[in-house]
Amino acid sequence: MKNQHLIALDLDGTLLTDDKQINPETKKVVLNAIDNGHVVCIATGRPHRASINFYNELGLETPMVNFNGALIHHPKNRNWDALHSPLSIRTAHKIIHKCHELGVRNILAEVKDTVYLDQYDAEIMEIFHTNDDNPVNVGNLQSNLQDDPTSLLIHPEEEKIKILREELDTHAELIEHRKWGAPWHVIEIVRAGMNKAVGLQKIAHYYHIPQDRIIAFGDEDNDFEMIEYAGIGVAMGNAIPELKNMADYIADTNEQNGIGEFLTDYLKLNRKAM
């Protein structure tokens, strides 16, 4: 398809409304774009287990970017050349030790979809989609975590975020760290060099889609590289100011079908077909 685009969708604050659903109008447009030959993929900081339901809801058959690029895989094709780039266990244990010294609320480590939680917390377990199919291993991470983790998630008190991020900056050659938006003041850590643009580049190459025909939507600081890399970088109306400043376009908010309206206009999709 001569005019085929790759459309990359962040989940929280972008594809998903504030109540973590896909707006029905947005869904119609995304499905229409797929019917018109465009390629749609999900690029999220979430793990696979917390993304796959939305992937299936859209009927996607494309690779997916999880953990901000630390895991790039194809949920429906095990022969696809997946890329898993975890942190070293040595670096992880250094960070966990420092977090214990600072007295953070909790630390969660993930090895793909295997979850390790430093201290029991029912609310965190629900938020991170741990259940009977994805059980969580609770207990001291210094002893329980034995494998290189895909990511670390630190939940500090709000007043400790600044000092924690300053400490993490001392490991800048080894890690990337990002902060979640309110109300969850979570610091997310992956291996240095990992970001959504890495995944987007790999997927675009797979489909032979040039950079100038990549459309990426995002709202937070973990979308910086992806929005900058895409030929058409789109910040949501609810995005942080820094992302809006670097984006090529600003769409309406995640609550107002921002993705759907932008794609309909930019790709000249037939509104009657929806």
Side-chain angles (χ1 to χ4, degrees):
M1 179 181 163
K2 188 176 181 180
N3 196 37
Q4 185 181 49
H5 285 71
L6 172 62
I7 302 164
L9 305 174
D10 169 53
L11 289 179
D12 298 282
T14 303
L15 177 65
L16 305 183
T17 59
D18 292 347
D19 60 0
K20 307 305 179 187
Q21 304 293 321
I22 300 177
N23 182 313
E25 294 303 312
T26 301
K27 181 178 177 179
K28 287 179 186 177
V29 176
V30 171
L31 294 179
N32 189 16
I34 293 171
D35 287 343
N36 277 271
H38 300 290
V39 177
V40 174
C41 70
I42 287 172
T44 178
R46 288 183 178 221
H48 167 267
R49 68 180 181 280
S51 317
I52 193 64
N53 287 348
F54 304 114
Y55 178 97
N56 290 334
E57 183 178 345
L58 293 174
L60 299 182
E61 296 184 356
T62 51
M64 181 160 61
V65 180
N66 291 114
F67 295 108
N68 291 324
L71 178 63
I72 309 160
H73 66 120
H74 197 311
K76 294 188 176 179
N77 182 359
R78 292 190 177 183
N79 294 321
W80 196 78
D81 183 27
L83 182 64
H84 180 224
S85 306
L87 288 161
S88 77
I89 187 70
R90 183 178 177 183
T91 300
H93 279 298
K94 284 182 179 178
I95 292 170
I96 292 164
H97 177 72
K98 178 54 66 173
C99 287
H100 284 157
E101 284 187 342
L102 288 174
V104 301
R105 288 178 182 172
N106 218 333
I107 314 164
L108 182 142
E110 302 182 76
V111 181
K112 292 188 176 179
D113 273 327
T114 302
V115 184
Y116 298 87
L117 187 62
D118 200 48
Q119 301 174 60
Y120 179 84
D121 186 317
E123 190 174 17
I124 282 183
M125 290 164 70
E126 180 180 353
I127 287 167
F128 289 101
H129 297 258
T130 62
N131 51 42
D132 291 341
D133 295 326
N134 295 289
V136 61
N137 303 279
V138 180
N140 187 285
L141 284 182
Q142 293 286 33
S143 54
N144 280 1
L145 182 63
Q146 301 294 325
D147 298 309
D148 293 346
T150 313
S151 78
L152 289 177
L153 295 158
I154 305 168
H155 186 205
E157 287 82 359
E158 188 173 358
E159 63 273 12
K160 293 181 180 178
I161 291 173
K162 186 175 184 292
I163 189 171
L164 175 59
R165 297 200 77 177
E166 288 173 352
E167 176 62 33
L168 293 175
D169 281 338
T170 66
H171 301 279
E173 74 281 5
L174 300 172
I175 66 170
E176 307 281 353
H177 61 95
R178 307 296 174 93
K179 184 175 78 68
W180 288 17
W184 284 94
H185 300 288
V186 169
I187 307 299
E188 186 172 67
I189 300 169
V190 295
R191 180 176 166 180
M194 293 299 101
N195 56 67
K196 294 181 183 182
V198 174
L200 217 51
Q201 186 174 21
K202 182 175 174 64
I203 295 170
H205 178 76
Y206 177 70
Y207 287 104
H208 306 289
I209 295 175
Q211 191 173 352
D212 63 355
R213 292 210 305 268
I214 299 174
I215 305 173
F217 294 90
D219 72 308
E220 273 289 348
D221 69 355
N222 65 340
D223 297 310
F224 283 158
E225 293 88 354
M226 177 172 76
I227 294 299
E228 187 173 41
Y229 174 76
I232 305 102
V234 186
M236 303 302 291
N238 50 286
I240 60 174
E242 296 90 338
L243 194 70
K244 288 181 176 178
N245 289 338
M246 71 188 305
D248 300 299
Y249 299 92
I250 299 175
D252 209 335
T253 69
N254 62 321
E255 290 287 292
Q256 299 296 324
N257 187 30
I259 289 173
E261 289 298 323
F262 182 88
L263 289 178
T264 299
D265 292 340
Y266 191 87
L267 298 176
K268 298 178 171 56
L269 299 174
N270 185 353
R271 289 182 182 270
K272 291 182 179 178
M274 296 177 278

